[in-house]
Amino acid sequence: MIQDWEPYYRATADSPVRPLCLEAIAAAGGPRDRPTADVATHAAVVTSTDPAADPAADLAVDLAVDLGAGAGRESAALLDAGWRVLALDGAPGAHLRIQAAVPPARRNRLTVVEQSFGALDGLPAAGLIYAGYALPFQRPEVFTRTWGMIRAALRPGGILAVNLFGPRDTWASDPELTTHTPAEARALLDGLEILAMREEERDGNAVSGPKHWHVLDLVARA
C-alpha cells in the first residue's frame, strides 16, 4: 500500500480532473437553488461524537463531500460547478495542498478536514459524495464503517460516485486494502438507483511501477 503520497502528488501534478468526478457533476445537475448552511457547519459533523446529529441536514443539498481529496483538483471542479465542498484527506499537509488548488475567490465555499477515514465519527448530509481511488486504500473494517457513514449521509436524490478495486488488481493481496467483486459492489448500492457500473481491467503503470489494474466505477442516485 502507498505509505508516502508525496511522490504520487508530484507525478500527477498536471493530471486533469478525473472523469468519474465530472460524470458525478453532470449526473447531479448542479446544486439546487435554495438556502444553505455555511459549509463549516457541516464540517463540524465530521468530528462530532454523534454522527446522526447534523443541525443542517435539511439545508445540505448544495454540499459536496470529496473523500480522499488528494491534490484538490476534484474539489476545485466541484466548486467550479457551484457546490460548497467539504474536502477530507488524511495525508499530512492536505489542507495546504487542497487550498492551493482552489482560486482564492472560491475558498469561502471550501472546508478542508485533514483526517483519516478511520478517525471519522460521521459525515454531514450531502447532495453529492465523491471518492476517487480513496476507499480501496482502507482496511476492510474501516471501509465497512466508512461506507455506512456514506450511505447515511447521502440525501434523497443525491449522487454517489466512487472507484473500487477488483480482486484481480495487483494490490488486491495487500491486507491494508479492500477489494470488491462486481457482485459485492452492486450489493453496496442496494436501494440506490445505479446510473453506471463499469468494470475495467488492464495492464498499465502506477507511480510505483508496472501494475495490473482491476477497477470498478460506480455512480448511483439515492
Side-chain angles (χ1 to χ4, degrees):
M1 187 176 88
I2 298 176
Q3 299 291 343
D4 180 5
W5 287 94
E6 287 303 324
Y8 172 81
Y9 293 136
R10 288 194 296 270
T12 60
D14 298 323
S15 297
V17 175
R18 287 179 173 135
L20 187 67
C21 181
L22 298 176
E23 185 175 357
I25 290 171
R32 297 167 197 154
D33 185 19
R34 61 175 287 181
T36 62
D38 185 87
V39 70
T41 303
H42 302 292
V45 179
V46 173
T47 54
S48 169
T49 56
D50 180 4
D54 183 356
D58 291 335
L59 303 175
V61 291
D62 77 335
L63 179 69
V65 177
D66 184 1
L67 295 171
R73 283 185 301 275
E74 285 69 39
S75 290
L78 289 163
L79 289 164
D80 288 345
W83 295 88
R84 293 176 182 268
V85 174
L86 172 60
L88 188 141
D89 196 285
H95 65 289
L96 298 175
R97 188 181 303 107
I98 295 166
Q99 288 171 352
V102 173
R106 294 198 172 112
R107 289 176 190 164
N108 66 321
R109 292 188 286 116
L110 170 70
T111 293
V112 180
V113 175
E114 196 167 300
Q115 188 171 12
S116 69
F117 290 1
L120 285 177
D121 289 314
L123 292 171
L128 189 156
I129 300 177
Y130 168 76
Y133 294 94
L135 292 173
F137 290 96
Q138 315 303 315
R139 294 182 64 89
E141 64 273 17
V142 175
F143 179 97
T144 298
R145 185 169 176 270
T146 304
W147 191 259
M149 295 178 195
I150 290 171
R151 290 295 305 263
L154 190 64
R155 282 185 52 87
I159 294 297
L160 172 62
V162 302
N163 301 113
L164 302 177
F165 287 162
R168 292 185 295 278
D169 193 275
T170 294
W171 295 335
S173 62
D174 190 328
E176 298 294 316
L177 271 63
T178 299
T179 63
H180 294 85
T181 66
E184 290 168 339
R186 186 175 295 275
L188 291 174
L189 302 178
D190 186 44
L192 302 180
E193 177 191 1
I194 298 177
L195 303 180
M197 182 171 174
R198 296 182 295 270
E199 181 180 14
E200 179 185 10
E201 205 166 345
R202 62 180 174 83
D203 291 320
N205 291 286
V207 172
S208 57
K211 180 181 185 297
H212 182 77
W213 292 91
H214 187 194
V215 179
L216 304 173
D217 296 340
L218 311 180
V219 183
R221 189 190 310 274

